[in-house]
Amino acid sequence: MKILSFETSCDETAVAVIENGTNEFAYANDSNNMGRSGLRVLHSAIFSQIDIHKEIGGVVPEVAAREHIIKIIPVLDEALTKSGVSLQEIDAIAVSNKPGLISSLLTGTVTASTLALALGKPIIPVNHIHGHIYANWLDRDADEIQFPIVVLTVSGGHNELVLMKEHCSFEVLGETLDDAAGEAFDKVARLIGLGYPGGPAISKAAVNGDKYKFDLPRAWLKKGSLDFSFSGLKSAVARVVAVHKIDTKFQADMSASFQEAVCEVLSEKLLIAARKYNAKEIHLAGGVSANKRLREVVAEKAVSSFVMRYPANIHYCTDNGAMIGAAGYFMFVKNPAVYTDWKNVEASAGIS
Ligand code: KG4
Ligand code: ZN
């Protein structure tokens, strides 16, 4: 089965073609070449608007919407050409329809619905966060992944702990009460004079920094809470910044100290949830799952108790079309009859 998938919820115009069942990673693990499954990315095309939004230091919704309209057809063309798959060979179309910037989401949903109508193909609306979660099934032997899974999904727009007892079942165990982790990275990077997006800039600067230099707060919230809060940490950084000269040394030390505070809270709560719900696996997903230190800290804590996974390719951590196709694939297989009508696809800024 081949899925064409669209992602335009924020500032990446992304289209991918993925295929199930012919996964080379799956075959490598199965001497009989039988009975294994996997989702292979045939091509994941992305036009990132980062360079455009960099100047302002954040995403400008009107600018993002205009860029999506300009780029969606060239990006679709690239996905089809480089995957070598024609529109007629596509079996179903998946598109992220929520949450996100409404003016950005519309480009993806209108393009996908139009194609579904014109080609008479099924169309699957996908929650962007579920897409991030399913990035962990891409280019990997899907039969090896064992439920229950606790997923830490962390990016610029969301920050959740999710329990998956089976496919397409998402129980939110905890979420951020204010800033998402990626948002905190972006805001702190701006405070200390590093570029946008803040996550990659901070993790790079942190390599040369002293993580013990600044004693920043960790918001554990009330005992047993699986929720998160990062706004206090950001304010603490702002107070230090107000009385310090910002030079390269300061940027490095603050980046390392801040990153450590975020990773400590994220990893600790992930492990508490994994133990509480007897998870077999713990997964990292979303833009912040690209963070090396987060992966290290979680791996240290998870050692021998849980299988730990993060997306097989770093490009599947941040927004991409392939992850939307992966979630769409499992939704479709579970309930194909639901996804026949292109009119059912509505964009929504919020979660519902
Ligand atoms: O998933 P994503 O592309 O978009 C949203 O759904 O929000 O995530 C983008 C976020 C940004 O806040 C960015 O700073 C953060 O992910 N990010 C990182 C890293 N790479 C991207 N945060 C920490 N470390 C990284 N290496
Ligand atoms: Zn995202």
Side-chain angles (χ1 to χ4, degrees):
M1 179 173 184
K2 293 184 176 65
I3 304 218
L4 173 69
S5 46
F6 292 84
E7 157 56 41
T8 63
S9 67
C10 188
D11 59 347
E12 326 281 350
T13 315
V15 183
V17 181
I18 68 164
E19 181 179 35
N20 80 309
T22 53
N23 189 327
E24 63 200 75
F25 297 87
Y27 284 164
N29 285 306
D30 180 14
S31 52
N32 298 319
N33 279 2
M34 298 280 286
R36 312 297 290 193
S37 66
L39 293 172
R40 186 155 73 110
V41 180
L42 299 182
H43 189 70
S44 176
I46 301 183
F47 172 76
S48 171
Q49 304 175 3
I50 282 176
D51 285 343
I52 297 166
H53 299 295
K54 232 180 201 164
E55 282 174 38
I56 304 285
V59 179
V60 183
E62 289 78 4
V63 176
R66 194 182 59 213
E67 287 300 316
H68 283 308
I69 293 168
I70 295 169
K71 288 296 181 321
I72 191 78
I73 299 300
V75 174
L76 167 63
D77 274 346
E78 180 193 320
L80 293 170
T81 311
K82 296 217 170 138
S83 64
V85 174
S86 69
L87 279 176
Q88 285 66 32
E89 289 172 295
I90 295 293
D91 297 292
I93 298 170
V95 58
S96 57
N97 71 320
K98 64 181 176 187
L101 298 170
I102 189 71
S103 46
S104 288
L105 285 162
L106 280 170
T107 302
T109 53
V110 170
T111 310
S113 311
T114 307
L115 281 172
L117 169 65
L119 300 166
K121 307 279 183 190
I123 180 156
I124 312 141
V126 174
N127 178 315
H128 177 84
I129 300 170
H130 300 168
H132 274 300
I133 291 172
Y134 268 104
N136 273 304
W137 271 262
L138 290 169
D139 283 350
R140 146 170 308 152
D141 181 353
D143 288 344
E144 275 192 356
I145 300 178
Q146 300 270 308
F147 296 98
I149 303 164
V150 173
V151 191
L152 172 70
T153 175
V154 267
S155 75
H158 65 272
N159 194 126
E160 290 180 353
L161 275 172
V162 175
L163 173 65
M164 288 180 84
K165 290 186 181 149
E166 57 179 341
H167 274 301
C168 306
S169 148
F170 308 98
E171 193 184 322
V172 178
L173 306 174
E175 61 195 328
T176 183
L177 304 178
D178 39 59
D179 293 347
E183 189 179 355
F185 269 95
D186 295 337
K187 288 177 174 170
V188 165
R190 193 202 282 231
L191 281 172
I192 64 175
L194 293 173
Y196 172 84
I202 286 188
S203 61
K204 193 168 162 213
V207 172
N208 304 313
D210 173 4
K211 61 179 189 266
Y212 303 110
K213 179 77 187 183
F214 299 104
D215 186 17
L216 298 170
R218 275 77 167 145
W220 298 111
L221 306 177
K222 64 180 190 305
K223 198 169 186 299
S225 168
L226 294 173
D227 288 329
F228 301 91
S229 166
F230 293 109
S231 67
L233 174 59
K234 177 194 63 193
S235 307
V237 174
R239 283 193 293 274
V240 180
V241 166
V243 295
H244 265 83
K245 182 170 158 266
I246 299 179
D247 55 16
T248 312
K249 171 94 177 78
F250 175 79
Q251 286 174 326
D253 290 340
M254 183 50 90
S255 291
S257 304
F258 164 79
Q259 179 174 261
E260 202 61 17
V262 173
C263 293
E264 202 178 304
V265 175
L266 290 177
S267 59
E268 197 55 37
K269 295 206 175 209
L270 169 60
L271 268 290
I272 292 171
R275 283 191 284 267
K276 183 167 173 190
Y277 293 94
N278 291 318
K280 289 207 170 91
E281 303 203 356
I282 51 178
H283 291 188
L284 303 179
V288 182
S289 70
N291 188 278
K292 263 202 194 136
R293 183 65 190 142
L294 178 63
R295 292 173 175 193
E296 257 169 40
V297 175
V298 173
E300 277 162 22
K301 292 183 180 171
V303 68
S304 76
S305 303
F306 306 99
V307 173
M308 173 201 174
R309 297 183 203 270
Y310 41 79
N313 183 322
I314 199 151
H315 300 295
Y316 306 152
C317 295
T318 43
D319 291 352
N320 66 88
M323 68 184 198
I324 302 300
Y329 167 76
F330 285 103
M331 289 165 70
F332 185 75
V333 166
K334 197 164 186 175
N335 228 340
V338 178
Y339 303 111
T340 48
D341 193 349
W342 63 273
K343 292 198 277 315
N344 287 344
V345 176
E346 239 177 75
S348 160
I351 209 86
S352 54

